[in-house]
């Protein structure tokens, strides 16, 4: 698990006073606006104070201390800024994807291990978890309360109640 996560990537300048247009790499402008500081390095180096964040379509407009004109903003194009996970306050039941990756996925009733959570995608209304089993096969699991009983990132464990066929292995070409 990382202590610093990507917040945004600067893609261009905006105006002449150092404001920058950036792609959000987190939950968006409202989430990012809660931070008082960002970091230029993924290791927490290069701390800089946030002066302003606002939404503009699918991007954000970002103002940072020390970047006061277009030339200074232009020098930031291509740079990714990070936030400290310790600075974030997530609502109850919400987790950083980084904290979920690598968790063991186990059956709530039998304790059977299905594999490790290796990816989280968000193609529609809910997330889809990709679980990779010991044989390297991948299984898709909708991250909805009907299937995900509990998430315990501190114990590196996700407890699930899958339906028949969700985690079955092929035997001689047939499903069990």
């Amino acid at each position: 698990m990382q202590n610093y996560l990507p917040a945004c990537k600067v893609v261009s300048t905006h105006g002449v006073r150092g404001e920058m247009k950036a792609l959000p790499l987190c939950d968006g402008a409202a989430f990012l606006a809660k931070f008082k500081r960002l970091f230029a390095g993924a290791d927490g180096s290069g701390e800089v104070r946030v002066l302003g964040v606002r939404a503009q379509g699918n991007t954000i407009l970002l103002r940072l201390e020390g970047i006061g004109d277009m030339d200074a903003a232009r020098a930031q194009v291509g740079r990714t800024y990070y936030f400290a996970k310790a600075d974030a306050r997530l609502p109850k039941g919400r987790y950083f994807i980084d904290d979920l990756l690598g968790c063991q996925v186990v059956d709530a009733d039998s304790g059977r291990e299905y594999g490790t959570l290796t990816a989280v995608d968000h193609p529609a209304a809910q997330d889809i978890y990709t679980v990779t089993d010991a044989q390297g096969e991948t299984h898709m699991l909708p991250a909805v309360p009907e299937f995900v009983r509990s998430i315990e990132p501190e114990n590196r464990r996700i407890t699930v109640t899958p339906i028949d066929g969700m985690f079955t292995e092929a035997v001689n070409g047939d499903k069990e």
Side-chain angles (χ1 to χ4, degrees), residues 17 22 52 66 71 77-78 81 109 133-134 137 146-147 161 166 170 176:
R17 296 188 176 151
D71 290 333
V77 171
Y81 281 94
D109 298 322
D133 64 24
E137 298 290 322
E146 292 82 6
F147 299 126
T161 53
M166 196 173 278
E176 287 183 328

Side-chain angles (χ1 to χ4, degrees), residues 26-110:
C26 58
D27 279 350
F31 179 76
L32 197 52
K34 296 175 184 176
F35 293 94
K36 294 180 177 14
R37 64 185 182 160
L38 293 176
F39 301 87
D43 59 355
S45 61
E47 181 178 333
V48 63
R49 193 164 70 103
V50 176
L51 301 177
V53 175
R54 59 191 172 111
Q56 185 186 52
N58 292 336
T59 63
I60 59 171
L61 298 179
L62 177 67
R63 288 184 327 125
L64 298 174
E65 185 174 65
I67 301 171
D69 60 36
M70 188 187 307
D71 290 333
R74 189 177 295 123
Q76 302 304 306
V77 171
R79 171 167 278 165
T80 299
Y81 281 94
Y82 300 83
F83 67 89
K85 255 197 311 194
D87 292 347
R89 301 290 173 252
L90 295 179
K92 184 176 172 74
R94 300 283 311 263
Y95 306 94
F96 291 113
I97 291 172
D98 180 64
D99 291 342
L100 300 180
L101 295 176
C103 284
Q104 289 302 113
V105 178
V106 299
D107 191 284
D109 298 322
S110 69

Side-chain angles (χ1 to χ4, degrees), residues 103-107 112-117 131 141 158 160 167:
C103 284
Q104 289 302 113
V105 178
V106 299
D107 191 284
R112 175 183 171 199
E113 284 194 20
Y114 292 117
T116 303
L117 183 69
V131 179
L141 174 73
I158 298 172
V160 299
F167 288 103

